[in-house]
Amino acid sequence: MSTLRFHAIKESFTNKPILVEEKERRSDLFGKNVFNENTMRQYFTKDAFVGVMNAIQFGKKIDRNIADQVSSSMKDWALSKGVTHYTHWFQPLTGTTAEKHDAFFETIGNGMAIEKFGGSQLVQQEPDASSFPSGGIRNTFEARGYTAWDPTSPAFIYGTTLCIPTIFVAYTGEALDYKTPLLRALNAVDNAATDVCKYFDKNVKKVTSSLGWEQEYFLIDKLLAASRPDITLTGRTLLGHSSAKGQQLDDHYFGSIPNRALNFMRELETECMLLGIPVKTRHNEVAPNQFELAPIFEEANLAVDHNSLLMDIMGRVASRHNFKVLLHEKPFAGINGSGKHNNWSLSTDTGVNLLSPGKTPMSNLQFLTFFINTIKAVRENEELLRASIASASNDHRLGANEAPPAIMSVFIGEQLTKVLEELEGVTKGKLSPEEKTELKLNVVGKIPDVLLDNTDRNRTSPFAFTGNKFEFRAVGSLANCGNPMTVLNTIVAKQLIDFKKEVDLLIDKKGLKKDEAVFNVLREYIKSTKAILFEGNGYGKAWEDEAKKRGLSNNKTTPEALKAKISKKSIALFEDMNVMSKIESQARYEIEMEAYIMHIQIEGRVLGDIARNHIVPTAVKYQNILIENVKGLKEIFEAKYKTVSQEQIILIEEISGHIEGINANVTKMTDARRKANTIEDLEQKALAYCNNVKPLFDDIRRHCDKLELLVDDEIWPLTKYRELLFTR
């Protein structure tokens, strides 16, 4: 194993930057391999174009004749670009994407064949669903599941395959993917927000949820990564002593991008441009060999598809540049982990960002309405929001010194806090003309002057307002954005519906003017959401104690957090909003709990294997070298040998202690895992893995990492942190 380590290090030094030529402008490349609106205009008949655009913009059903025209046009376009196959590209609940390729090929007899792709093949397919997670929705032997075309996300070409974004549902109709509930949630927030917008602008007909994700990741030399079984099998290092130099000098953050990494980024960005992924920003992140990529905002469904596609592309491009991309939230202990900040907002079809202030009191009252209702939605559903980003990998990041805590809170900045404090003092009921004028001019009217320049960022806040959007910072770098976006849009939709009911009641029953009714409801929301607003440092026990006083949850682990998904409140919420049925909610809970158990189980097996089969034998080997040294000193110095070999003897004893610690704790871990595996109740099984198996990882690691400092570097089998993080 040590030979592999040094061979990998030697070979990694021969890896030179792979030159990437950018011969075309980004604007010319953008969307070349996407069947977008511009391409549709070229290939579609008028009826087909109108039919598809109505489906995209208004959710109207596409009839069979139109589907046949669309599929024929897609095929002609794809064949013109050298495509040979097509696939329904979907996002099952595995956390990755899925695809089954079929050729544009059919025999017609007499030894002849044609390229064929009909409307039925475009609209629906029946992949084998037996091995995808279903959470008990159907038996394993019942393989039938359906993928159905999502026309709101354009088809694209990757390699020689036409990829058609689709939803994925069971034979009985329940959603088995991330996209289906997301589309329902986006429809719900569109309807709810449009109704509220009509208080301020009767011309609004549609509200779109937008998303801008920020993808953080590590780039590690491919050979060095391959020399680590833990990275290969779990995506993170399960052991390894921290490097003497890490991120403490802050010299990597926004620093000059290493040439190899830069060329990887250039090719990745070219691939993204061709696929219509509007990536714009790249930079070094805080930790060594950590980077970030971010796009321009897009409609949420398309943004989720693009992020899922990006994560796949990153791995393929990285391999061509002799890198391995690590998307795990905490691949290295002691340095920053990786997140995927989800920047979320709502925009109208009239071109107004509902979370951006305007130039008039009326537009600012609209802003405050959506701003305060979002805060209210988070306050009422903070445990569900926490559950939406829960995973075994993200548990390592949440609450660490560089990341938001597991406690959900909202940061809005000093200036907006003052605005809300002033609004809190609004008179209950009808307002006097003077008060109404003063309120509009002194509170609402002044927002543009203070908002964009004075709303600071808070890196410890999981949900922060950043000028014209909310940034959900707690989302993990491995996550499918569809999960948190489904929850966020659903809770906001429900809150806006409740808000409108309250406002209408005050107008109809109390005789209040529209503005008075809005102010009255917002005033009560401000009072009831104070507990969720937090401007301070989210690290440490002080905030945990304060959060407990405020009645905020602190679900630090995934088994604790996921229970919110199947609470009566959450199930009723999703059912009322037509986002998920009770069966679908329960299925997702089971799938995510099972995934948690399997991740901890795999990590335990890998750690036990490395500790006993790599670390212990190496420690024994070095111990034997020391023993031979002591024997030689005894031959030379005879009675005095104890004095001259004192340090070696102490080292031998230390190594023995750590070997004993490793073996004892691996045995404990294995026994705890076996015991956990006998538990039938899913929640209790997950808790057993969380509380009884996982803590032993740290004990095993501590002994292994101590041995790394004691054993001769020449025989240490695992590539070390300094080599993984500083080989560029």
Side-chain angles (χ1 to χ4, degrees):
M1 190 65 185
S2 59
T3 303
L4 177 59
R5 172 193 165 202
F6 286 108
H7 176 74
I9 293 170
K10 181 180 178 182
E11 288 296 313
S12 69
F13 285 126
T14 67
N15 287 331
K16 303 298 181 185
I18 295 175
L19 184 63
V20 176
E21 295 185 13
E22 297 177 281
K23 296 181 179 179
E24 295 184 68
R25 292 183 179 183
R26 298 290 173 94
S27 56
D28 294 331
L29 285 175
F30 189 70
K32 265 192 171 183
N33 289 343
V34 181
F35 200 74
N36 52 26
E37 183 177 337
N38 183 52
T39 308
M40 286 192 287
R41 289 182 183 277
Q42 296 177 45
Y43 281 84
F44 280 177
T45 63
K46 182 179 179 180
D47 288 345
F49 181 79
V50 171
V52 172
M53 293 308 294
N54 282 337
I56 293 171
Q57 295 173 355
F58 307 112
K60 292 186 178 180
K61 187 176 181 179
I62 297 175
D63 67 38
R64 178 57 188 270
N65 290 332
I66 295 297
D68 285 336
Q69 293 180 45
V70 170
S71 62
S72 177
S73 298
M74 276 190 184
K75 180 197 70 177
D76 292 344
W77 172 72
L79 292 174
S80 74
K81 288 180 168 289
V83 169
T84 59
H85 289 69
Y86 67 92
T87 182
H88 276 199
W89 181 83
F90 58 102
Q91 299 165 51
L93 298 172
T94 56
T96 58
T97 59
E99 53 196 64
K100 181 186 76 170
H101 297 197
D102 286 301
F104 291 126
F105 172 82
E106 277 198 22
T107 57
I108 56 174
N110 299 321
M112 294 185 292
I114 59 170
E115 276 78 25
K116 186 177 179 181
F117 180 54
S120 59
Q121 295 164 309
L122 165 67
V123 172
Q124 181 176 303
Q125 276 194 322
E126 186 184 326
D128 183 347
S130 61
S131 294
F132 289 113
S134 71
I137 286 178
R138 46 112 185 92
N139 295 312
T140 302
F141 62 81
E142 294 173 328
R144 186 166 290 176
Y146 295 107
T147 51
W149 176 36
D150 170 20
T152 64
S153 184
F156 58 90
I157 293 170
Y158 194 67
T160 58
T161 303
L162 174 66
C163 300
I164 302 157
T166 62
I167 63 169
F168 179 46
V169 297
Y171 175 70
T172 46
E174 291 88 2
L176 294 174
D177 65 345
Y178 289 107
K179 180 186 278 282
T180 304
L182 175 64
L183 290 173
R184 296 169 183 165
L186 295 176
N187 182 62
V189 81
D190 172 18
N191 292 333
T194 299
D195 286 345
V196 172
C197 279
K198 291 188 182 298
Y199 284 140
F200 310 98
D201 183 356
K202 298 289 186 182
N203 295 316
V204 173
K205 296 179 181 177
K206 184 176 180 62
V207 171
T208 301
S209 171
S210 63
L211 168 64
W213 40 262
E214 303 168 26
Q215 181 71 59
E216 295 177 339
Y217 61 96
F218 282 83
L219 271 185
I220 305 300
D221 186 273
K222 183 164 67 174
L223 291 170
L224 299 185
S227 73
R228 295 278 311 219
D230 48 358
I231 291 179
T232 300
L233 296 176
T234 72
R236 75 178 182 105
T237 56
L238 297 174
L239 47 81
H241 200 280
S242 59
S243 171
K245 183 190 178 206
Q247 64 185 48
Q248 60 266 52
L249 296 179
D250 295 325
D251 54 342
H252 190 257
Y253 190 51
F254 278 27
S256 176
I257 300 173
N259 283 337
R260 278 184 68 195
L262 184 60
N263 280 280
F264 155 77
M265 292 176 183
R266 292 172 67 188
E267 183 174 351
L268 175 63
E269 289 166 2
T270 297
E271 294 273 5
C272 287
M273 288 297 109
L274 290 169
L275 293 167
I277 306 174
V279 293
K280 185 176 177 69
T281 302
R282 64 188 183 203
H283 64 82
N284 289 5
E285 257 300 334
V286 175
N289 276 354
Q290 186 186 33
F291 306 94
E292 181 180 297
L293 170 148
I296 297 170
F297 283 62
E298 296 181 284
E299 184 274 328
N301 176 47
L302 183 58
V304 170
D305 281 0
H306 279 166
N307 183 250
S308 297
L309 178 58
L310 172 92
M311 290 192 287
D312 182 39
I313 297 169
M314 288 176 81
R316 300 187 192 194
V317 174
S319 185
R320 294 200 287 267
H321 288 258
N322 296 307
F323 281 124
K324 183 176 179 65
V325 170
L326 301 186
L327 293 173
H328 194 285
E329 283 81 359
K330 197 74 172 177
F332 301 99
I335 59 174
N336 278 18
S338 298
K340 176 149 50 194
H341 305 165
N342 278 207
N343 294 278
W344 171 87
S345 190
L346 296 171
S347 300
T348 69
D349 58 340
T350 58
V352 175
N353 180 349
L354 296 172
L355 289 175
S356 181
K359 297 181 179 180
T360 65
M362 180 57 73
S363 61
N364 285 332
L365 181 56
Q366 177 175 262
F367 156 72
L368 284 170
T369 295
F370 284 91
F371 175 71
I372 295 170
N373 271 284
T374 301
I375 297 171
K376 174 74 168 171
V378 174
R379 175 65 187 98
E380 295 301 317
N381 300 277
E382 43 100 4
E383 285 197 88
L384 181 58
L385 200 61
R386 163 67 180 97
S388 74
I389 46 92
S391 69
S393 54
N394 207 22
D395 280 357
H396 293 284
R397 170 177 166 264
L398 295 180
N401 63 346
E402 87 287 352
I407 304 164
M408 293 294 106
S409 66
V410 179
F411 171 84
I412 63 172
E414 183 180 352
Q415 296 296 330
L416 279 173
T417 299
K418 290 179 179 178
V419 170
L420 297 194
E421 287 173 351
E422 290 188 54
L423 282 173
E424 190 180 352
V426 174
T427 301
K428 187 174 182 179
K430 294 186 177 181
L431 307 176
S432 67
E434 295 80 13
E435 187 178 31
K436 184 183 289 189
T437 301
E438 182 179 345
L439 179 67
K440 282 188 176 181
L441 294 179
N442 292 345
V443 178
V444 183
K446 73 179 183 181
I447 292 176
D449 296 328
V450 302
L451 181 61
L452 294 177
D453 293 331
N454 292 284
T455 303
D456 200 359
R457 299 185 69 188
N458 185 332
R459 298 188 72 246
T460 69
S461 174
F463 200 83
F465 186 70
T466 55
N468 58 2
K469 62 189 183 300
F470 279 99
E471 182 180 19
F472 192 10
R473 297 179 53 83
V475 182
S477 51
L478 259 176
N480 184 301
C481 297
N483 208 352
M485 285 296 102
T486 295
V487 170
L488 180 56
N489 283 286
T490 301
I491 64 176
V492 171
K494 177 63 166 63
Q495 180 53 50
L496 290 171
I497 290 171
D498 292 344
F499 169 77
K500 189 173 187 303
K501 287 179 181 177
E502 293 184 56
V503 172
D504 288 347
L505 186 64
L506 291 179
I507 294 172
D508 296 339
K509 301 294 184 182
K510 301 291 185 180
L512 269 61
K513 298 291 187 182
K514 178 187 66 180
D515 288 3
E516 292 174 326
V518 169
F519 280 129
N520 272 264
V521 175
L522 293 182
R523 178 195 62 225
E524 297 306 311
Y525 285 0
I526 292 167
K527 292 178 181 178
S528 65
T529 57
K530 282 186 174 182
I532 202 76
L533 298 177
F534 180 63
E535 305 297 303
N537 190 336
Y539 301 148
K541 191 172 183 302
W543 168 229
E544 290 186 10
D545 292 342
E546 173 63 21
K548 188 175 182 180
K549 291 178 184 177
R550 296 183 181 202
L552 301 178
S553 65
N554 185 12
N555 297 322
K556 294 184 178 181
T557 67
T558 292
E560 291 178 284
L562 287 179
K563 286 188 286 187
K565 287 198 168 187
I566 53 169
S567 68
K568 289 182 180 179
K569 178 182 177 182
S570 296
I571 288 174
L573 166 70
F574 287 123
E575 285 189 320
D576 291 346
M577 302 306 298
N578 295 315
V579 171
M580 284 189 287
S581 67
K582 182 177 181 180
I583 292 174
E584 289 171 323
S585 292
Q586 290 174 328
R588 275 162 170 71
Y589 169 78
E590 290 188 20
I591 290 168
E592 290 175 31
M593 287 289 258
E594 287 173 351
Y596 177 85
I597 291 167
M598 287 186 285
H599 274 98
I600 304 301
Q601 185 183 78
I602 291 168
E603 288 189 348
R605 288 173 173 171
V606 173
L607 180 57
D609 171 50
I610 294 174
R612 277 190 167 158
N613 294 326
H614 300 298
I615 304 303
V616 168
T618 301
V620 170
K621 181 178 180 180
Y622 184 59
Q623 195 177 46
N624 288 335
I625 294 172
L626 293 173
I627 290 170
E628 290 300 315
N629 178 261
V630 171
K631 287 179 180 179
L633 291 174
K634 185 176 181 180
E635 289 179 11
I636 295 172
F637 293 101
E638 296 180 347
K640 294 182 180 180
Y641 89 94
K642 288 186 178 180
T643 302
V644 295
S645 63
Q646 181 180 358
E647 294 301 322
Q648 291 92 320
I649 293 171
I650 291 173
L651 196 51
I652 290 169
E653 290 177 351
E654 281 190 59
I655 291 172
S656 291
H658 291 306
I659 290 173
E660 181 185 2
I662 290 171
N663 282 322
N665 282 296
V666 170
T667 298
K668 285 181 185 177
M669 179 186 68
T670 304
D671 290 343
R673 200 168 65 233
R674 286 189 184 128
K675 188 175 180 180
N677 289 338
T678 65
I679 301 173
E680 293 186 6
D681 181 83
L682 193 62
E683 180 183 334
Q684 293 305 313
K685 187 174 183 178
L687 288 171
Y689 265 95
C690 179
N691 299 326
N692 302 332
V693 177
K694 186 181 171 186
L696 291 165
F697 290 8
D698 293 334
D699 296 329
I700 297 167
R701 178 174 191 153
R702 184 173 64 254
H703 290 292
C704 291
D705 289 356
K706 289 293 184 183
L707 284 173
E708 184 179 329
L709 295 179
L710 298 177
V711 173
D712 182 2
D713 181 67
E714 289 293 320
I715 63 171
W716 190 253
L718 299 179
T719 305
K720 296 186 175 183
Y721 268 31
R722 67 170 184 263
E723 297 151 356
L724 291 166
L725 293 171
F726 291 96
T727 300
R728 297 173 182 172

